[in-house]
Amino acid sequence: MDSCRIPANASKCSGNTMECFMVLSTQAQKISIGILCGLFGTMCVFENSLVLYLIFSSPGTRKKPSYLFIGSLALADILASIIFVCSFVNFHVFNEAAFSKEVFLLQLGGVNTSFSASLSSLLLTALDRYLSISRPSEYKLLMTRKRAWTALAVLWVTCATIACLPLLGWNCCVLDSACSELFPFVDDNYLSGWICFILVLLGCIVYAYAHVLRRARQHVAYMEKHQAQVGKQNSRMRMDVMLAKTLVMVLAVLMLCWSPVLALMIYSVFARLSERLRKVFAFCSTLCLLNSMVNPVIYALRSKELSSSLRRLLSHFRRQLQAAEGSPEAESTHKSSVIET
């Protein structure tokens, strides 16, 4: 293991410096983290996989840029859940530190890429909703499938590049600089830059949704005043308003789940964290899985098209189950009729 400068509160550790960051000291804490990660992670993968299936199995949804961005968000949540649960449980619960610096930074880069892509997908979705509401007549010309796929490609490449900078050399071992108190091998300056990048994304999302909500309120007032005249246009605007409110709910859940983690990250840049706060950070990190688990539930409850696709899927499975249950009876009836004949 490469030797590098570690935080002052971890200098008492000897030998493998990875052990300095294993903050869960009791078996009860490890079991709690394992249960939370296992439950949230399993539900995240199942629910977001279901969202991806509902989107791309229906020609009506997979052709819409709005649902392409939602699909990108679901994919980011799936990747984050898998990588986070595997690496987090392996490190904090099983205290596995036999892997190299490069492997750890690769895992951390995967988690950071997924989270950054999740936020960026929300930003693209906010911009898409604003265009749909503010310029409905020009929306199809401005937001084409080609432009949507291009934006998603730029999004993922940018997030992956920024997240993998520590693996490419911006780490405290190569630079011989101060390491973060929260993440092994991560340079404090890089952590500060990554936090700024995330805060800029969050600020842009909040700014975009502020305009979306303002336009949504204007549309609600317009629909109430001209409900008899607008006809089909009224129905489309109502769907846009509903989807805008849904995505604001997603943003609110995102902020609630990630605010504690970001607050502790910011605090660690300017001050030393006690061992208790580092344990709190470990437990707060599991909130990202809760966020990824709640997002698909919001889609199913608020999105009319996805909820309709889900009902059709459940009805299809119900008919298959009924047919499977009825087949033995039908077979026995057929056999008895043949015997009688």
Side-chain angles (χ1 to χ4, degrees):
M1 184 68 62
D2 297 336
S3 60
C4 57
R5 192 178 307 168
I6 58 178
N9 64 343
S11 59
K12 60 184 179 181
C13 298
S14 59
N16 194 343
T17 57
M18 296 284 283
E19 297 176 358
C20 306
F21 299 88
M22 298 176 181
V23 296
L24 302 182
S25 56
T26 66
Q27 194 69 18
Q29 293 173 354
K30 295 179 181 181
I31 293 176
S32 300
I33 285 289
I35 293 176
L36 289 176
C37 289
L39 177 62
F40 292 164
T42 302
M43 293 299 296
C44 288
V45 173
F46 172 76
E47 293 175 357
N48 285 287
S49 299
L50 180 61
V51 170
L52 286 178
Y53 175 79
L54 293 177
I55 291 175
F56 290 100
S57 64
S58 173
T61 55
R62 67 168 176 260
K63 294 181 179 180
K64 295 182 178 181
S66 303
Y67 289 100
L68 291 179
F69 299 147
I70 294 176
S72 175
L73 176 62
L75 177 61
D77 286 337
I78 291 175
L79 294 177
S81 300
I82 295 175
I83 300 173
F84 178 86
V85 169
C86 293
S87 59
F88 195 79
V89 172
N90 192 44
F91 186 80
H92 284 289
V93 177
F94 298 107
N95 298 134
E96 179 62 44
F99 43 83
S100 63
K101 175 192 71 178
E102 288 74 17
V103 173
F104 178 84
L105 292 178
L106 180 62
Q107 293 175 350
L108 183 63
V111 175
N112 290 344
T113 298
S114 303
F115 174 51
S116 303
S118 179
L119 278 179
S120 301
S121 299
L122 279 176
L123 177 58
L124 289 180
T125 306
L127 296 176
D128 173 77
R129 286 300 89 201
Y130 177 72
L131 288 176
S132 176
I133 292 178
S134 62
R135 306 174 70 175
S137 60
E138 305 174 23
Y139 172 74
K140 290 187 177 181
L141 296 177
L142 294 174
M143 187 57 67
T144 61
R145 289 187 65 194
K146 183 178 180 180
R147 290 181 179 179
W149 281 112
T150 302
L152 289 175
V154 172
L155 177 159
W156 280 91
V157 171
T158 302
C159 292
T161 302
I162 294 176
C164 291
L165 286 177
L167 182 62
L168 299 176
W170 191 354
N171 58 73
C172 56
C173 297
V174 174
L175 301 177
D176 193 25
S177 56
C179 293
S180 167
E181 293 186 85
L182 296 174
F183 306 101
F185 314 120
V186 174
D187 180 70
D188 261 340
N189 293 327
Y190 170 79
L191 182 60
S192 301
W194 188 81
I195 292 173
C196 291
F197 171 65
I198 296 301
L199 291 178
V200 168
L201 282 179
L202 289 174
C204 292
I205 293 173
V206 172
Y207 180 79
Y209 274 117
H211 286 276
V212 170
L213 285 178
R214 181 174 59 85
R215 297 293 300 182
R217 285 196 297 267
Q218 293 176 355
H219 275 222
V220 170
Y222 177 82
M223 287 187 293
E224 290 178 351
K225 186 176 181 179
H226 303 87
Q227 188 172 5
Q229 289 85 356
V230 293
K232 294 183 179 180
Q233 185 180 2
N234 178 24
S235 176
R236 178 173 179 176
M237 287 193 298
R238 187 181 298 276
M239 290 177 60
D240 290 336
V241 172
M242 180 69 74
L243 187 53
K245 292 180 179 179
T246 298
L247 296 173
V248 170
M249 291 174 60
V250 173
L251 177 61
V253 172
L254 181 76
M255 295 291 293
L256 179 64
C257 291
W258 281 92
S259 292
V261 174
L262 290 176
L264 287 173
M265 284 184 183
I266 295 173
Y267 183 77
S268 70
V269 174
F270 298 101
R272 293 180 180 176
L273 294 177
S274 64
E275 185 176 354
R276 182 179 179 181
L277 283 179
R278 294 169 69 197
K279 290 182 181 180
V280 171
F281 177 80
F283 278 91
C284 289
S285 298
T286 60
L287 290 176
C288 68
L289 296 177
L290 178 62
N291 169 72
S292 300
M293 186 181 68
V294 171
N295 283 345
V297 177
I298 297 177
Y299 302 150
L301 293 178
R302 302 287 297 181
S303 175
K304 183 178 179 180
E305 295 184 39
L306 288 184
S307 60
S308 299
S309 299
L310 180 59
R311 285 194 297 269
R312 287 195 299 268
L313 181 63
L314 293 177
S315 299
H316 175 70
F317 283 135
R318 190 180 298 111
R319 288 194 300 268
Q320 285 188 336
L321 182 61
Q322 292 174 352
E325 291 178 349
S327 58
E329 298 178 1
E331 184 178 357
S332 62
T333 302
H334 174 72
K335 288 181 178 180
S336 61
S337 63
V338 171
I339 293 174
E340 291 176 359
T341 304

